[in-house]
Amino acid sequence: MKYIILILLLPLLTNSQTIKKDLYITYNDCWIQKGVEIELDTLRYEGYSIRLSKRQNPEFTLKVDNSGKLIKGMKYLSGKTYGSYEISYKNVNKNNPPFKIDLDTIINRVSAQRLIYTVDLDYDSFFESFRNIYLVNFNNKNENFHQAKKIKIKFIGTL
C-alpha cells in the first residue's frame, strides 16, 4: 500500500519542483538596440540586441612629478569582449499580439540593465527556467500599464 501511494504521489512531487513561471524583461532605449523591424499584412517581426559589457569607467591616476608637472594616467581599462542577447519578436497571423500588463502584478521582472551588469550567469539554463519570456517597453515610467511582447531570447557568446 505504501508503494502504491508513493507511485501515485511521485509525479506530483517531481512536477512541483519544475513549475515554470514567466519572465518579464523591462527596457528603455538606453539599454537595448532595435535592429530589424518588418511589418507585412500577416507578419510583424522585430529584432533587438543587448550588448553585454562591464561598462566600467576606467580608473584614472593623477600625479605630480618632481618638476611640478601634472601626469595623467589610466590605471584600468578592460579590453575584454562580452557576448550579447539576441531577441526576436514574431507575430504571424496575429497569433502573438502584444498585450497590456500592470507591472505591479507580475512576479518575475528584470531590467535589461540588470542583465548587462550580471556576471557569472549560465545564460542558457537561466532562460530555460522560464515558461515564457516577455519584453516590456518601459520608456514611459509614468504609465501603470505597459505592453508586453512574447519573445525568444538567445545568448550569443564571444570567441
Side-chain angles (χ1 to χ4, degrees):
M1 183 65 172
K2 290 179 189 177
Y3 295 112
I4 294 173
I5 294 173
L6 182 62
I7 291 172
L8 293 174
L9 288 178
L10 192 58
L12 292 175
L13 294 174
T14 57
N15 283 340
S16 67
Q17 295 175 354
T18 59
I19 293 175
K20 292 184 176 186
K21 302 282 186 194
D22 294 336
L23 174 67
Y24 293 84
I25 300 172
T26 61
Y27 76 95
N28 60 35
D29 290 335
C30 297
W31 301 106
I32 191 168
Q33 292 84 39
K34 190 178 211 178
V36 177
E37 185 173 5
I38 300 170
E39 187 166 4
L40 304 170
D41 291 340
T42 60
L43 170 69
R44 170 106 183 145
Y45 178 86
E46 298 171 6
Y48 301 86
S49 68
I50 300 174
R51 290 219 177 291
L52 302 181
S53 69
K54 279 194 168 182
R55 293 190 184 257
Q56 288 181 336
N57 292 327
E59 294 179 15
F60 295 103
T61 59
L62 295 173
K63 294 182 192 175
V64 180
D65 69 9
N66 292 338
S67 66
K69 183 178 176 186
L70 177 64
I71 301 172
K72 298 180 243 176
M74 189 180 310
K75 183 177 176 186
Y76 176 78
L77 181 62
S78 175
K80 183 177 179 181
T81 59
Y82 296 86
S84 63
Y85 296 107
E86 295 300 320
I87 300 169
S88 61
Y89 166 71
K90 186 166 46 171
N91 184 358
V92 179
N93 294 322
K94 300 182 182 182
N95 66 354
N96 185 17
F99 60 94
K100 286 188 175 185
I101 59 161
D102 181 354
L103 292 179
D104 294 332
T105 62
I106 59 177
I107 296 171
N108 296 322
R109 175 175 138 190
V110 66
S111 68
Q113 178 184 9
R114 174 75 56 147
L115 287 175
I116 289 170
Y117 287 114
T118 299
V119 293
D120 300 328
L121 179 66
D122 181 357
Y123 300 99
D124 292 331
S125 65
F126 175 74
F127 292 122
E128 288 173 3
S129 301
F130 299 98
R131 180 180 55 197
N132 296 307
I133 302 174
Y134 297 94
L135 190 62
V136 181
N137 185 332
F138 203 59
N139 281 310
N140 189 350
K141 293 180 181 161
N142 296 328
E143 293 180 2
N144 288 338
F145 292 92
H146 297 274
Q147 285 212 345
K149 297 176 180 175
K150 184 177 174 185
I151 60 165
K152 301 282 185 199
I153 188 165
K154 182 178 179 182
F155 174 72
I156 309 295
T158 60
L159 297 175

